[in-house]
Amino acid sequence: MTHRQREILGLLCEGKVNKEIARELDIGLGTVKQHLVSLFKRLNVRNRSMAVSQGMAMLADNKGQEASSSAATFEDAHWAHEGILVRRPCVVLSLALPTTVPDQQRAIFQRTTAGFACDAGVLFIPLESGHGDILFGIRRSSENDLIAALQFLQVLQQQVAHAVGTALAFAGMSAVLNAGMAVVSKGRRGGWSGEAVASPVIAASHRLLHKTPVGDLYFGPMAREVLRSFSPVDAPLLPESLPMASISSLFRVDFDLLETSSVHRATWQKLAGQLCDPFQGSMAFIEGETGMGKSHLCRALVARCQALGGQGRYFRALPISVFAPLCDTATGEAVSIDEALAVLSSPSLASPDLLVIDDIHLLTRESRSRLLAMAPQAINRGRVLLFAGRRTGNETPDAIPLRRLTDEAVSNLLAHLQSSAILPAAGASSQRIQDLAAGVPLFAIELARSTTAEPTLALLMIIASRLDGFDLDWKLLQTLTVGPTTMDMAALAELLDEPREEVEQAVTTAIRSGVLSLGAGSDNTVGFRHPLVRQVISLLGI
């Protein structure tokens, strides 16, 4: 192998995706893909997982040969000191073609699936021809993994049908979407190491495949639970299965079912007031962390616009932007940035005329900049614009932040949902839910679904995703979950068997990330800032 191929192989074995490899080596994304094609040919493998499997052994052998001591082994190297095993929320998409599908189409299916998995940065485990599992959330957790899996399946269906010139391959395909926990190897400071992954969800998905009718997508029970958690609280129940051709329906929103009230009263009144001036354009940007109710406000505003006789359009950014950056929730179909810009620049045909773009933080910086650059023209045409997402940087206009709810507001929200039979009668005490929810509406709702206020899978996904965004020492965090709520810094360093200076540096990083805090009146003790984070890390640890 060339020096560059060896570099890329090493980064693959660290669990890096194409964009991370490009950034670390300061080369283009297209160049990375070209190197991967050459690397796969050199190793005589078909996909990333096979390359990682061979690469780990090769790199270990080379490390042993280059070591100054003949006693140096792979077990003594980086993984032994820096690697840990953790539980990680994951989503599994299992696919199967019947044996009647011609070999040529099965080969197209396998190649296309492997290529899409590489582009999407997810793990593809090929089985026999026409069968395979795509794993989401292994390299990094995300609350968008289920939506990403549906987007992946929708694009794969369209691409393979086009490639073979017929829908035959997918007319006989079965698919299962499931969610649960996996055990993975990872570096102490995040990222799948590439050494190991195991999940009972995969075996469960294979069992479900056997009873899934051809041409259908079947949802495992946990997948339905998670999708319900991220849908409007009053959305209809998801069916156990549906035809593959109906996947786009899962991206639609029925605005007639939504209530226009909101827990963020002041923000809601301000946004709704912008719809009252005839042909007067305006723009607003709301931002907040996951679970704060951004999407509920967006959907409620579209519902209010339509109730006023106006035109309301709701675009939602999708997690795999290389496939499609947006979807139109009225049709469930993909929308390109150019198509969104065309909507922005088109004449206003109704009053009020509203365009909402939700989860704008999922778009690339370039796409966000293009949309915001077109905003003044749309406002001059009398269009009301609403952008929503997490904090994305200085290129966004002055935003309306969604503040965390007071305990009283959390209590009122739960009482309203329980009286409407949307949530079950309270199992855990209202005070415990308030303490754990920390003012985040979705957290309160998810904790209320459990009779013991234990974190649901959706909560694990959200919090694990947030933690993966920081450079945290997971071995240190897991050590802190065992024993008292706070620990002396010297005792923590002794447990980790590491210099106190290094431990204090890792603690400082976690404090700046909002995960840990120093003990009251002391710089020598440290503990978790919030009990729910401690509980989640304890559940994820092994």
Side-chain angles (χ1 to χ4, degrees), residues 69-126:
S69 169
S70 60
T73 64
F74 179 59
E75 285 74 16
D76 298 326
H78 179 79
W79 162 248
H81 297 288
E82 297 297 324
I84 58 175
L85 289 175
V86 297
R87 294 182 180 89
R88 183 182 286 276
C90 74
V91 170
V92 176
L93 177 63
S94 296
L95 307 173
L97 292 177
T99 56
T100 54
V101 172
D103 290 342
Q104 182 182 8
Q105 291 187 8
R106 296 163 71 86
I108 292 174
F109 165 82
Q110 203 84 343
R111 289 197 305 269
T112 306
T113 305
F116 277 7
C118 184
D119 290 339
V122 295
L123 180 62
F124 175 48
I125 304 177

Side-chain angles (χ1 to χ4, degrees), residues 28 36 39 54 70 97 128 131 205 221 260 263 362 486 528 535:
L36 286 175
L39 180 61
Q54 289 197 26
S70 60
L97 292 177
E128 58 192 82
H131 292 68
S205 297
T260 55
V263 292
L362 295 177
T486 60
F528 285 95
Q535 189 176 4

Side-chain angles (χ1 to χ4, degrees), residues 24 75 106 111 115 142 147 180 206 315 319 332 360 366 376 395 411 414 503 508 514 520:
E24 188 153 336
E75 285 74 16
R106 296 163 71 86
R111 289 197 305 269
S142 172
I147 297 300
H206 291 172
F315 291 168
I360 194 172
E366 178 187 1
E395 81 275 11
S411 180
L414 295 179
V503 173
T508 299

Side-chain angles (χ1 to χ4, degrees), residues 38 43 52 60 78 95 129 203 271 276 337 381 419 444 462 466 473 475:
S38 301
L43 295 175
V52 167
H78 179 79
L95 307 173
S129 180
L271 295 175
C276 297
I337 294 298
R381 293 178 179 271
S419 65
I462 294 171
R466 192 172 302 174
D473 185 337
K475 189 173 182 179

Side-chain angles (χ1 to χ4, degrees), residues 43-79:
L43 295 175
N44 193 26
V45 298
R46 299 190 302 274
N47 53 60
R48 296 170 81 96
S49 57
M50 294 174 67
V52 167
S53 178
Q54 289 197 26
M56 291 305 302
M58 293 173 61
L59 294 176
D61 289 343
N62 287 329
K63 282 185 178 180
Q65 294 170 6
E66 296 168 1
S68 57
S69 169
S70 60
T73 64
F74 179 59
E75 285 74 16
D76 298 326
H78 179 79
W79 162 248

Side-chain angles (χ1 to χ4, degrees), residues 107-179:
I108 292 174
F109 165 82
Q110 203 84 343
R111 289 197 305 269
T112 306
T113 305
F116 277 7
C118 184
D119 290 339
V122 295
L123 180 62
F124 175 48
I125 304 177
L127 302 175
E128 58 192 82
S129 180
H131 292 68
D133 301 305
I134 302 97
L135 275 62
F136 299 77
I138 297 301
R139 292 187 172 91
R140 176 173 176 172
S141 297
S142 172
E143 65 269 25
N144 295 307
D145 282 335
L146 268 169
I147 297 300
L150 290 171
Q151 185 187 5
F152 186 100
L153 183 58
Q154 185 180 36
V155 174
L156 180 65
Q157 175 189 16
Q158 296 167 350
Q159 180 66 26
V160 174
H162 173 75
V164 301
T166 175
L168 174 61
F170 279 92
M173 188 181 79
S174 301
V176 168
L177 186 61
N178 213 348

Side-chain angles (χ1 to χ4, degrees), residues 383-406:
R383 183 164 284 116
V384 176
L385 306 179
L386 176 60
F387 301 107
R390 295 204 292 264
R391 189 182 299 274
T392 56
N394 295 329
E395 81 275 11
T396 57
D398 292 338
I400 304 171
L402 296 185
R403 306 296 183 187
R404 297 196 176 202
L405 305 183
T406 63

